[in-house]
Amino acid sequence: MVERRVADCVFCDIVAGAPAALVFEDAEVVAFLDVRPVFPGHVLVAPRAHVETLTDLPSDAVGPYFTVVQRIAGAVERAMKAGGTFVAINNRVSQSVAHLHCHVVPRTKGDGLRGFFWPRRPYGSPDEMATVAAAIAREAGWTPAHG
Amino acid sequence: MVERRVADCVFCDIVAGAPAALVFEDAEVVAFLDVRPVFPGHVLVAPRAHVETLTDLPSDAVGPYFTVVQRIAGAVERAMKAGGTFVAINNRVSQSVAHLHCHVVPRTKGDGLRGFFWPRRPYGSPDEMATVAAAIAREAGWTPAHG
């Protein structure tokens, strides 16, 4: 494990031993309670090494990191007797601490939250949708087999 | 790859070739545009094999699945010239299709959305917080090194 620490990063401080309500740790990852939870049992899962966003996570760290996220999702659901979980990462925009962290929030039907209660609307036209899909496919390095 | 298909699952239908605006696919995973996006470029990433939630994903599929999620997060950001992304999974509660899917939504500062605009408040007491942490740690199979 390469331990990259950044000054003035509160999550690097937790990795280094600052007080936190830890719920899990291994060689690569720490998980601890958010101090201002959406609901009690809201956990943040962070890699020990300082990376800012999901795309900055080294490829060999992706599996180990999300294996812990998966484990925490199960643990939160069981421990909080929840009906489900919300698992989310804000990359840069709405990201309060610039050290990758995945929120795991217990959910219960009728808890008053919706996964997305943002306005959603269809694309203006099939052409607009196809253009957007093609732009993302290109950046993903993928070529459709047909046409 | 084990292809588990479920009748009346629209994502299994897409895996099987139903029309969708695909942006990426490999042996394990498909990624396609949400037809009712929060913002244009909103992608759903789903494993080909039908599993309902994150905790149902076989452990050897976690790395390959999130490697694609990471790739799509980068592609969406670049293709849509976004400032960041929101990457989220609803497990059971607020889950519209009961086939695991990760939302990748392009975000831009000032886009009017907030990552969490749900009310958030601290725990009522340090004891309450410690009790919750201990319950989750127990379910995660983790024992703190110190007391």
Side-chain angles (χ1 to χ4, degrees), chain B residues 87-112:
Chain B
V87 173
I89 297 171
N90 291 307
N91 293 302
R92 271 194 294 275
V93 180
S94 296
Q95 184 176 1
S96 53
V97 176
H99 180 137
L100 173 64
H101 56 286
C102 186
H103 299 262
V104 178
V105 180
R107 294 290 316 273
T108 302
K109 205 172 172 183
D111 62 14

Side-chain angles (χ1 to χ4, degrees), chain A residues 39-131:
Chain A
F39 292 119
H42 176 168
V43 172
L44 305 179
V45 183
R48 288 181 181 277
H50 184 93
V51 297
E52 184 176 347
T53 71
L54 175 57
T55 52
D56 300 319
L57 194 64
S59 57
D60 63 355
V62 170
Y65 177 61
F66 283 100
T67 295
V68 175
V69 170
Q70 182 189 45
R71 180 176 187 146
I72 295 301
V76 164
E77 195 175 315
R78 291 190 300 273
M80 307 313 291
K81 299 174 178 34
T85 53
F86 175 66
V87 172
I89 297 172
N90 291 307
N91 292 301
R92 272 194 294 277
V93 179
S94 297
Q95 184 176 2
S96 53
V97 175
H99 180 137
L100 173 63
H101 54 288
C102 186
H103 299 263
V104 179
V105 180
R107 294 289 316 272
T108 301
K109 204 170 171 182
D111 62 13
L113 306 184
R114 279 172 287 168
F116 292 137
F117 53 114
W118 300 328
R120 295 173 69 169
R121 57 188 169 70
Y123 286 87
S125 70
D127 272 2
E128 182 194 338
M129 193 169 177
T131 301

Side-chain angles (χ1 to χ4, degrees), chain B residues 23-57:
Chain B
V23 301
F24 184 81
E25 63 179 340
D26 66 14
E28 304 291 338
V29 180
V30 293
F32 49 91
L33 295 187
D34 192 308
V35 292
R36 290 184 65 82
V38 172
F39 292 119
H42 177 168
V43 172
L44 304 179
V45 184
R48 287 181 183 277
H50 184 92
V51 296
E52 184 177 346
T53 71
L54 175 56
T55 52
D56 300 318
L57 194 64

Side-chain angles (χ1 to χ4, degrees), chain B residues 50-138:
Chain B
H50 184 92
V51 296
E52 184 177 346
T53 71
L54 175 56
T55 52
D56 300 318
L57 194 64
S59 57
D60 63 354
V62 171
Y65 178 62
F66 283 100
T67 295
V68 175
V69 171
Q70 182 188 47
R71 180 177 188 146
I72 294 302
V76 164
E77 195 175 314
R78 291 190 300 274
M80 307 313 291
K81 299 176 176 34
T85 52
F86 176 66
V87 173
I89 297 171
N90 291 307
N91 293 302
R92 271 194 294 275
V93 180
S94 296
Q95 184 176 1
S96 53
V97 176
H99 180 137
L100 173 64
H101 56 286
C102 186
H103 299 262
V104 178
V105 180
R107 294 290 316 273
T108 302
K109 205 172 172 183
D111 62 14
L113 306 185
R114 281 172 285 168
F116 292 137
F117 54 114
W118 299 328
R120 296 173 68 168
R121 58 189 169 68
Y123 286 86
S125 69
D127 272 3
E128 181 195 340
M129 193 170 178
T131 301
V132 167
I136 296 171
R138 190 163 46 240

